Amino acid sequence: MPEGIVTSADGTTIAYTAWGAGDPIVIIDGATAYRATNPVNQETAKLLADEFLVINYDRRGRGESTDAPPYVVEREFEDLEAIIEQAGQGRPATVFGWSSGANLALNAAQDGVPIARLALFEPNAAVDDARPPLPDDYVERLDAAIADGRPGDAVALFMTAAVMMPEEAVAEMREQDFWAGLEAIAPTIAYDARQVGDTLSGKPLRPELWNHLDIPVLIMHGIDTWPALAAGSRAIAAHLPTSTLAPVSGEQHSTTADVLAAALRAFIKEN
């Protein structure tokens, strides 16, 4: 299980772990997650390492990766490209993204990052009233909380406005030991908000959104996930002509390593 560091175009260092050998599969976490907090990635990688080089990296500003403000979405496209070129040895890569990490993967492919195929788990979209839209000033409020030295308020806003948790539940979370870890990566929550863009506006996806994609796309959602998340996956699948929608075993915005590994292996072999 080698660990390493690649250097992105702006000098940011991106830390990663790799398993196996072969054509690369790159895993991108969603908001707040990174290698130390998402054990499903490691479990999935071990199941695929017999045939693939599986790479899981800490997005900038999280875990062992550095950061270089100010943030613009293109910096994370460059981070992904550096992972593919340096850690993946430039071979055709399958990119798998969780949640808003799936939106990042879509945006990077649209921007021209060399990706052979995309696999996504519950990417972010709301095109109707299946869930409340994000507030129009969501990004501005996140930025203001960080600038004012209130990282806990940024996390709380994410939990209530984006994750749709009740305020009472978030108030209880703020008293738990793990809250300090969330505050530490709070500045990166706005990064995901910018990658998601207007896809959680409650309006139809713009026709030009991801309109350059001509690669195979697998879009998964948990069969027992929250209805709004399944609706978002269906909306993006309907929007992308090269996509396949695949409900899989899973709930609460996640699935298990064995389910995910089997789905990724089959998708790659078929495409």
Side-chain angles (χ1 to χ4, degrees):
M1 179 172 84
E3 298 191 357
I5 290 175
V6 303
T7 302
S8 194
D10 69 344
T12 298
T13 54
I14 305 298
Y16 71 90
T17 306
W19 297 261
D23 286 340
I25 300 173
V26 180
I27 301 175
I28 305 178
D29 276 307
T32 75
Y34 52 99
R35 288 180 300 162
T37 65
N38 190 353
V40 175
N41 291 340
Q42 177 174 326
E43 295 164 10
T44 302
K46 289 179 177 178
L47 292 172
L48 291 167
D50 63 317
E51 194 170 2
F52 302 100
L53 172 65
V54 186
I55 303 166
N56 183 207
Y57 70 96
D58 290 339
R59 289 172 56 184
R60 60 174 52 213
R62 304 183 200 172
E64 297 180 5
S65 292
T66 62
D67 204 355
Y71 179 82
V72 294
V73 294
E74 289 81 7
R75 297 295 83 78
E76 288 209 79
F77 306 163
E78 294 165 355
D79 299 347
L80 176 57
E81 187 160 12
I83 284 287
I84 293 171
E85 290 299 321
Q86 298 173 42
Q89 302 172 9
R91 288 174 292 183
T94 299
V95 174
F96 168 72
W98 294 101
S99 189
S100 52
N103 293 66
L104 163 58
L106 285 163
N107 297 339
Q110 170 81 357
D111 197 61
V113 174
I115 297 171
R117 58 188 73 77
L118 287 172
L120 315 172
F121 191 85
E122 296 184 6
N124 288 196
V127 299
D128 50 30
D129 60 357
R131 57 154 288 160
L134 281 181
D136 291 340
D137 61 349
Y138 177 64
V139 173
E140 289 75 13
R141 289 164 63 187
L142 289 172
D143 287 344
I146 297 302
D148 294 346
R150 298 180 286 109
D153 290 348
V155 178
L157 176 61
F158 165 71
M159 292 295 182
T160 53
V163 183
M164 301 179 294
M165 291 184 65
E167 292 185 4
E168 298 79 11
V170 176
E172 293 179 3
M173 290 174 63
R174 295 185 81 143
E175 303 301 319
Q176 304 302 313
D177 292 342
F178 63 78
W179 189 261
L182 291 172
E183 288 191 352
I185 53 85
T188 71
I189 293 174
Y191 299 177
D192 285 84
R194 286 176 166 84
Q195 293 291 346
V196 167
D198 62 359
T199 64
L200 287 176
S201 66
K203 301 175 183 178
L205 299 173
R206 292 177 284 107
E208 67 273 19
L209 186 65
W210 308 315
N211 62 344
H212 295 160
L213 269 64
D214 59 359
I215 57 176
V217 181
L218 175 67
I219 300 177
M220 294 170 276
H221 70 78
I223 294 171
D224 296 314
T225 194
W226 294 298
L229 298 177
S233 296
R234 290 193 295 268
I236 292 180
H239 181 74
L240 297 174
T242 61
S243 70
T244 300
L245 182 67
V248 299
S249 176
E251 58 185 349
Q252 298 181 339
H253 207 28
S254 189
T255 188
T256 58
D258 57 337
V259 169
L260 180 56
L264 291 174
R265 192 186 299 271
F267 173 58
I268 294 170
K269 288 186 178 298
E270 293 168 4
N271 293 278

